[in-house]
Amino acid sequence: MTIGIFGTWDHQFNATEQALTDKIKNNPCYPFTIVKDVFVLEYLHENIWKGSLLLIASTIGTACYMNMEFGKEYRYYIHTHLRHRGPLHQIYIRMIAQKSGQVLLMYKLMLNGYKIEERELSGFSEKYELLECQGRRIATKLNLNYFDYQDTSKRHLVIHRPKIILSANNDRNNPPV
């Protein structure tokens, strides 16, 4: 027979009568226990404020856990061999443009990054707005940066930036990398 707080968890899968019979066999004074010739009935009084406090603490802990940024780095494998590990600002989705004929621009989306082989995400298309929308959506879902085909554009989506590491040796002639 389980004693203490675990007694409330002592569930039987038998019929109710059989469970009660087993408890009486194990403890002739059931539902009491005898402690120094005194019958003791253990009663657990659970305070609601303790439960509320635990609920609030676990909710806050869960929220903090879910908002933590895990492993702000990517790993690039070829088969099972790790080729490179780096911060997320080094991997991105980029739209490239190429002239078709004399004036018509064709666009496609590429996945690229430092020490990563360039990967084609879409074929060429004339529909710039549609590809841009899809590229931004992919970048947002994967938590990556998105860059337009123009080097300077208001359509870039920069989520991750490189961290600037300042040291005592840096001065104006030697800016941080």
Side-chain angles (χ1 to χ4, degrees), residues 93-97 107 128 132 136 146-158 161:
I93 294 181
R94 179 165 196 115
M95 182 179 298
I96 63 169
Y107 306 97
Y128 169 77
E132 180 205 7
R136 291 173 70 93
Y146 168 82
F147 296 108
D148 196 30
Y149 73 96
Q150 298 173 341
D151 289 337
T152 55
S153 173
K154 293 181 181 179
R155 297 178 182 252
H156 294 324
L157 177 64
V158 180
R161 296 180 186 273

Side-chain angles (χ1 to χ4, degrees), residues 70-175:
F70 294 107
K72 287 192 73 171
E73 64 180 18
Y74 69 92
R75 292 178 180 94
Y76 179 63
Y77 290 89
I78 295 180
H79 298 287
T80 58
H81 182 66
L82 177 66
R83 294 292 182 174
H84 183 69
R85 179 184 307 171
L88 281 176
H89 72 270
Q90 292 181 344
I91 185 171
Y92 56 88
I93 294 181
R94 179 165 196 115
M95 182 179 298
I96 63 169
Q98 190 173 5
K99 281 190 178 180
S100 172
Q102 296 183 345
V103 289
L104 187 62
L105 280 177
M106 301 292 284
Y107 306 97
K108 72 176 173 179
L109 293 172
M110 303 295 286
L111 174 70
N112 203 353
Y114 180 70
K115 291 194 174 181
I116 290 182
E117 298 169 9
E118 193 172 48
R119 177 77 182 210
E120 189 175 288
L121 298 178
S122 71
F124 280 107
S125 173
E126 298 173 2
K127 299 178 181 177
Y128 169 77
E129 291 83 13
L130 179 63
L131 275 182
E132 180 205 7
C133 181
Q134 290 173 338
R136 291 173 70 93
R137 182 178 296 139
I138 292 169
T140 303
K141 294 264 187 195
L142 296 177
N143 196 22
L144 297 175
N145 292 338
Y146 168 82
F147 296 108
D148 196 30
Y149 73 96
Q150 298 173 341
D151 289 337
T152 55
S153 173
K154 293 181 181 179
R155 297 178 182 252
H156 294 324
L157 177 64
V158 180
I159 300 170
H160 304 284
R161 296 180 186 273
K163 291 183 181 179
I164 298 175
I165 301 172
L166 298 175
S167 65
N169 297 336
N170 287 343
D171 57 13
R172 291 184 184 176
N173 295 333
N174 190 10

Side-chain angles (χ1 to χ4, degrees), residues 10-86:
D10 187 23
H11 297 291
Q12 299 286 332
F13 294 108
N14 303 336
T16 305
E17 299 82 14
Q18 183 62 41
L20 184 59
T21 304
D22 291 344
K23 288 180 181 180
I24 292 171
K25 279 184 184 177
N26 292 333
N27 181 9
C29 302
Y30 179 80
F32 298 98
T33 56
I34 298 177
V35 178
K36 296 183 181 177
D37 295 331
V38 176
F39 288 100
V40 177
L41 176 65
E42 198 170 308
Y43 175 73
L44 298 175
H45 180 67
E46 298 180 13
N47 295 327
I48 194 156
W49 67 271
K50 289 180 182 176
S52 301
L53 186 62
L54 285 172
L55 177 66
I56 291 170
S58 64
T59 303
I60 291 171
T62 302
C64 292
Y65 179 79
M66 297 301 274
N67 287 329
M68 287 188 339
E69 296 180 16
F70 294 107
K72 287 192 73 171
E73 64 180 18
Y74 69 92
R75 292 178 180 94
Y76 179 63
Y77 290 89
I78 295 180
H79 298 287
T80 58
H81 182 66
L82 177 66
R83 294 292 182 174
H84 183 69
R85 179 184 307 171

